Amino acid sequence: MSQPRIHNAMELETLVQQMGFLPFFACSVPNFSIEQFTSSRYWFVEDVDVPWKWRMEVACRDVAAYGKLFSKKAGLVSREWYPDLVNYRCNGDDFDARYKEGMSGYRKKCAMDVLLREGSMLSKDLKRMAGFGTDGLKGLDTVMVNLQM
């Protein structure tokens, strides 16, 4: 079977739907990443529709989740497979149960409360609404990576 090639956001979306999971950069699975399925002419070039934009288009269409989902590395997971990934990673527990058992800390709880109440948002808005920032909690980026993992 020939290796798939990605040239635009729709082709990326189709590939994520077919595969279910797709890391952004090369990983321990050979020839299994957006980077490896995309010609080098689409990377780091001005005035060209690039994979950095494609990933956000796919995520904004709500057909896949984008985040640091693969050993703290970026990638996409289809909407179909995302619940299974979360369930596996959380060992079947929901966030509140993990928090009550001391498996998730206060900073994660602050971020999750806002996200569950408000839905998706820009990180700058989450930072403000969850009490992170100059005079508040620290490390929102780390909290978000840990929640994604």
Side-chain angles (χ1 to χ4, degrees):
M1 179 169 105
S2 65
Q3 183 171 335
R5 299 308 293 167
I6 305 169
H7 303 95
N8 57 51
M10 289 307 297
E11 290 177 1
L12 174 58
E13 180 178 320
T14 299
L15 193 57
V16 170
Q17 296 301 324
Q18 290 172 349
M19 295 187 160
F21 297 78
L22 194 55
F24 203 76
F25 293 108
C27 62
S28 60
V29 179
N31 301 312
F32 185 67
S33 70
I34 295 168
E35 176 185 35
Q36 293 164 313
F37 295 151
T38 307
S39 169
S40 60
R41 71 180 186 182
Y42 291 101
W43 292 89
F44 309 107
V45 180
E46 288 187 40
D47 301 324
V48 174
D49 194 20
V50 295
W52 305 107
K53 291 182 182 178
W54 304 342
R55 67 182 165 100
M56 294 313 297
E57 287 180 42
V58 172
C60 287
R61 283 198 287 270
D62 204 25
V63 296
Y66 173 79
K68 293 192 176 180
L69 304 168
F70 304 100
S71 298
K72 298 185 181 181
K73 305 278 191 239
L76 289 158
V77 175
S78 72
R79 185 179 179 111
E80 176 186 359
W81 279 97
Y82 188 73
D84 293 316
L85 175 65
V86 171
N87 192 38
Y88 173 77
R89 293 246 175 97
C90 295
N91 199 27
D93 295 332
D94 65 13
F95 183 82
D96 288 332
R98 294 178 65 79
Y99 180 71
K100 288 176 186 170
E101 293 172 14
M103 298 169 72
S104 287
Y106 177 73
R107 295 180 312 151
K108 290 179 188 174
K109 176 81 168 126
C110 292
M112 280 298 291
D113 286 347
V114 171
L115 290 169
L116 290 171
R117 183 179 66 242
E118 303 291 331
S120 64
M121 65 181 62
L122 296 173
S123 59
K124 68 176 185 167
D125 296 330
L126 175 60
K127 186 175 189 175
R128 179 182 44 79
M129 293 175 76
F132 287 79
T134 308
D135 298 327
L137 300 170
K138 306 286 185 231
L140 179 63
D141 291 341
T142 301
V143 165
M144 293 309 298
V145 168
N146 289 329
L147 283 171
Q148 291 170 25
M149 290 306 300

